[in-house]
Amino acid sequence: MLSSYRSSLLACIVTLLSLCPSSLTMADSISSSTAPYRLRFFHTHTGERLDIVYRLGNTYDPNALMTMSHYLRDHRTGDTRDYDPRLFDLLHDLTIALGRPTAEIDVVCGYRTPWSNEYLRTHGHGVARHSLHMQAMAIDIRVPGVPTSELRDTVLALHRGGVGYYASSGFVHVDVGRVRRW
């Protein structure tokens, strides 16, 4: 009941913000623009954890962005690519919208090289040929303690990119490409 109430409330807030002339931009976020932007991760394949402040106000920390891109490397090859910072802002805002700003996000999949993407695609994993994982613009996640359906609904309400729902695998795909869902 509370989860449904929170989702409805979030949807109303997002709708109201979209009607305002000063609605959210990439440099703005749901949280205070003077607060540190922190993310906490656990990588399900490497077992690594990361707790990092990547932005203060409207200024990204280049070293933190580099650290995060390395952390989200292709775990099969070790290759990295610079991540689109809008994805980190989306994840940050997602944790706030969930009412769990200190939540640790489980990373199921970050960056994928073209080789890894093709390997997964040809071995029946339902991977898109032109996946935004290869552009470092996507991530597959779960948040412990949050039902996958609630995670999906909350990120959909943010209306900031693609959202894929993989209920049987227990994760949600989030990207900063065009707004779409599957």
Side-chain angles (χ1 to χ4, degrees):
M1 181 79 172
L2 181 59
S3 171
S4 175
Y5 172 77
R6 256 194 306 185
S7 294
S8 297
L9 181 61
L10 176 65
C12 290
I13 291 169
V14 170
T15 301
L16 287 172
L17 287 172
S18 70
L19 298 174
C20 297
S22 62
S23 61
L24 300 176
T25 65
M26 185 177 94
D28 297 321
S29 192
I30 289 176
S31 65
S32 167
S33 64
T34 59
Y37 289 68
R38 175 181 298 274
L39 286 170
R40 293 173 177 86
F41 295 109
F42 171 74
H43 200 296
T44 62
H45 294 284
T46 66
E48 297 170 320
R49 284 192 152 79
L50 182 65
D51 181 344
I52 193 163
V53 173
Y54 70 94
R55 180 177 147 186
L56 289 173
N58 291 331
T59 305
Y60 292 98
D61 178 337
N63 291 327
L65 294 178
M66 190 169 49
T67 297
M68 294 168 80
S69 291
H70 174 75
Y71 177 81
L72 295 171
R73 68 194 175 278
D74 184 323
H75 70 273
R76 291 170 191 85
T77 67
D79 292 340
T80 64
R81 181 162 178 171
D82 291 339
Y83 253 84
D84 187 325
R86 293 177 302 157
L87 184 72
F88 303 139
D89 291 338
L90 177 56
L91 293 174
H92 178 265
D93 293 347
L94 174 60
T95 61
I96 291 170
L98 287 167
R100 301 175 60 128
T102 63
E104 186 173 66
I105 298 168
D106 286 353
V107 175
V108 176
C109 185
Y111 170 66
R112 285 198 297 253
T113 61
W115 177 88
S116 284
N117 198 74
E118 186 62 15
Y119 175 83
L120 292 172
R121 196 181 73 73
T122 58
H123 286 81
H125 292 278
V127 171
R129 180 182 302 270
H130 302 290
S131 171
L132 289 178
H133 285 274
M134 295 187 299
Q135 305 302 316
M137 294 174 65
I139 190 169
D140 297 337
I141 62 168
R142 60 177 68 103
V143 177
V146 176
T148 310
S149 59
E150 181 182 348
L151 186 61
R152 174 205 57 204
D153 293 346
T154 305
V155 76
L156 281 169
L158 293 174
H159 207 258
R160 301 219 325 246
V163 180
Y165 179 52
Y166 298 91
S168 62
S169 299
F171 70 86
V172 173
H173 166 99
V174 178
D175 69 52
V176 290
R178 62 185 170 78
V179 175
R180 65 211 187 288
R181 68 184 293 175
W182 62 95

